[in-house]
Amino acid sequence: MLTKLDETLAHQGPTTFDHALTSDHRFFDRTVYGVHHDGELQLVMGLAAYKNMNVQEGFACVHQGDRQYNLRLSRALRPHIGEMHCGPLSIEIVEPWKKMRLVLEPGDYSHSFDLLCEAALPPTEEDHHFARVNGRPVQDYARFDQLLRVSGEFVLNGERTEVRDWFGFRDHSWGVRPGVGGFEPQNGQRPRGDGSLFIWLAFTTDDMGGQFQMAEDADGNLLSLDGHIGWPEDSGKPDLRVASVEHDISFIPGNRVFDTARLLVTTEDGQEFDIRAEAVGRPWAYKGTGYDSGYDDELGLGAWRGEELLVEHDIYDVSEPEEVGLPDGRRIRPVHREQPVRLTVNGHPGYGHLPVINWGRVSRYGLG
């Protein structure tokens, strides 16, 4: 099937753009944006395509106070391959790497927005993500990240909020990874361990920013580290690769979510960046976006839900630090929580997005 993308000279293989070069049902292409400022309102939204499942999805969720307002969207991908919209939700690339417009049109749900995102720093590529289990690739994907400054307006429950120079970030990833597109094939016993800690931070101050991620096992042994510290394009300064990260996280007693964190980042040239972060509002419960067996059918991301546009919206109770109240009355403690923060970097104020995702035993902090 030909699409408008086939008019370009950007083909990657001997097929049209409506096909992936792998038959793996989990193949995905997804972008996510986050916006916040001092906890007034917090937004996370995204669009995704699953070519081998013929699915296009979107989500747009807003936090205010102790409520998380969720909107989930799904439709057939074809014939609209390459189009950055899913029903009322759209992303317009006004100028690649420079300006993006995010729009959620009003509807029978609580919120809408029209936001212009402008680059605070150039985008950066993460190291390639690849892993096998028992000989089979369980993940094989690429991702880039970018720090943004955001302006425009939100409407929540009929109340308008002006957005002026708020913190924003985006990431865009594509390939194959677990937890998308339906079932995860089994090919034997998978090594699991008994716990882990994963830290991911994107941040900006007035004159710099950065992004890094790290993973440790239950005993604090480093499993992976990737990231950079950077400056605006017109600064003339080169990005610095992160060489090490020391962390000291204060978890709320009896919970696996944090209230403060100190991260001492050392770059490849020996510079140190002392980052002190404070949680702003409650962490996102990503089940509301469709992750973690989300959607009303609990089939999660990338599942086929019919040709026509499906619109789901609900409200989570996030008044407790870790426990989340679902609309059906269930109370859950999801592992996948992502926390907006205010922070300082060597004393300079800024904002960030700081997921600290942990499960099982984490010896350093007495968890599990």
Side-chain angles (χ1 to χ4, degrees):
M1 171 185 170
L2 290 170
T3 70
K4 62 185 179 182
L5 295 174
D6 292 298
E7 287 278 25
T8 71
L9 300 179
H11 291 84
Q12 298 282 319
T15 186
T16 52
F17 268 95
D18 71 318
H19 293 132
L21 294 181
T22 173
S23 62
D24 195 314
H25 67 280
R26 301 170 303 156
F27 183 81
F28 75 102
D29 194 341
R30 178 172 58 235
T31 186
V32 175
Y33 288 73
V35 180
H36 80 89
H37 179 76
D38 277 340
E40 296 175 51
L41 279 176
Q42 302 168 16
L43 166 70
V44 64
M45 63 85 67
L47 289 173
Y50 304 85
K51 283 186 177 178
N52 293 335
M53 297 299 291
N54 194 27
V55 170
Q56 179 104 355
E57 288 181 347
F59 62 86
C61 303
V62 174
H63 263 190
Q64 186 178 56
D66 59 4
R67 293 292 181 266
Q68 178 175 313
Y69 299 87
N70 304 310
L71 175 67
R72 296 175 295 275
L73 306 160
S74 180
R75 63 165 171 82
L77 174 63
R78 292 167 176 81
H80 303 291
I81 287 178
E83 298 182 12
M84 299 281 281
H85 66 82
C86 191
L89 182 66
S90 64
I91 299 173
E92 177 188 359
I93 306 300
V94 179
E95 184 180 354
W97 317 122
K98 301 290 186 181
K99 292 182 182 180
M100 293 69 66
R101 185 182 177 207
L102 315 179
V103 176
L104 175 62
E105 299 170 0
D108 293 332
Y109 33 84
S110 355
H111 50 288
S112 61
F113 50 80
D114 189 338
L115 302 170
L116 182 67
C117 302
E118 298 184 86
L121 273 72
T124 58
E125 292 183 68
E126 297 181 7
D127 289 345
H128 191 77
H129 298 263
F130 184 84
R132 296 181 191 270
V133 172
N134 297 325
R136 173 180 167 270
V138 293
Q139 67 177 23
D140 184 6
Y141 69 95
R143 181 162 57 201
F144 72 79
D145 310 290
Q146 188 169 24
L147 285 307
L148 309 168
R149 302 196 188 282
V150 184
S151 298
E153 73 169 15
F154 279 109
V155 178
L156 177 61
N157 294 326
E159 182 178 342
R160 294 181 181 275
T161 299
E162 182 182 7
V163 176
R164 182 176 296 175
D165 202 28
W166 285 17
F167 166 82
F169 76 93
R170 67 167 174 157
D171 70 48
H172 188 157
S173 55
W174 59 95
V176 170
R177 67 185 297 181
V180 300
F183 72 97
E184 185 68 19
Q186 297 294 316
N187 65 342
Q189 187 67 34
R190 294 182 181 172
R192 181 172 171 81
D194 61 351
S196 70
L197 175 69
F198 177 75
I199 300 171
W200 192 100
L201 174 63
F203 71 92
T204 56
T205 67
D206 284 343
D207 64 349
M208 54 89 70
Q211 186 279 327
F212 69 84
Q213 57 194 293
M214 64 180 298
E216 295 179 348
D217 68 13
D219 295 311
N221 299 305
L222 186 65
L223 302 175
S224 64
L225 173 65
D226 175 32
H228 74 284
I229 300 293
W231 289 264
E233 202 165 14
D234 60 6
S235 71
K237 295 183 178 181
D239 282 0
L240 298 175
R241 190 169 178 84
V242 172
S244 68
V245 178
E246 298 175 32
H247 53 83
D248 186 10
I249 302 168
S250 171
F251 288 92
I252 298 172
N255 294 271
R256 287 181 174 266
V257 300
F258 71 94
D259 49 11
T260 63
R262 183 181 181 189
L263 306 167
L264 184 60
V265 177
T266 303
T267 53
E268 57 192 351
D269 64 346
Q271 290 190 62
E272 291 187 344
F273 298 85
D274 186 359
I275 302 174
R276 303 186 184 218
E278 175 189 2
V280 174
R282 297 299 188 205
W284 288 102
Y286 261 58
K287 185 179 178 68
T289 71
Y291 287 67
D292 303 333
S293 302
Y295 285 88
D296 291 347
D297 58 17
E298 298 207 327
L299 294 178
L301 297 171
W304 172 254
R305 296 183 171 92
E307 293 279 347
E308 301 302 318
L309 179 69
L310 171 72
V311 180
E312 293 184 357
H313 54 95
D314 50 31
I315 303 172
Y316 288 178
D317 175 1
V318 291
S319 55
E320 297 296 321
E322 184 178 358
E323 193 173 74
V324 175
L326 303 184
D328 61 8
R330 285 180 293 162
R331 310 291 295 184
I332 63 172
R333 290 177 175 257
V335 172
H336 191 175
R337 305 295 296 272
E338 300 201 3
Q339 179 67 63
V341 293
R342 69 171 62 89
L343 49 72
T344 61
V345 181
N346 293 344
H348 298 279
Y351 295 94
H353 186 79
L354 178 54
V356 175
I357 299 172
N358 59 90
W359 66 271
R361 182 173 62 87
V362 183
S363 296
R364 165 76 182 273
Y365 297 107
L367 300 174

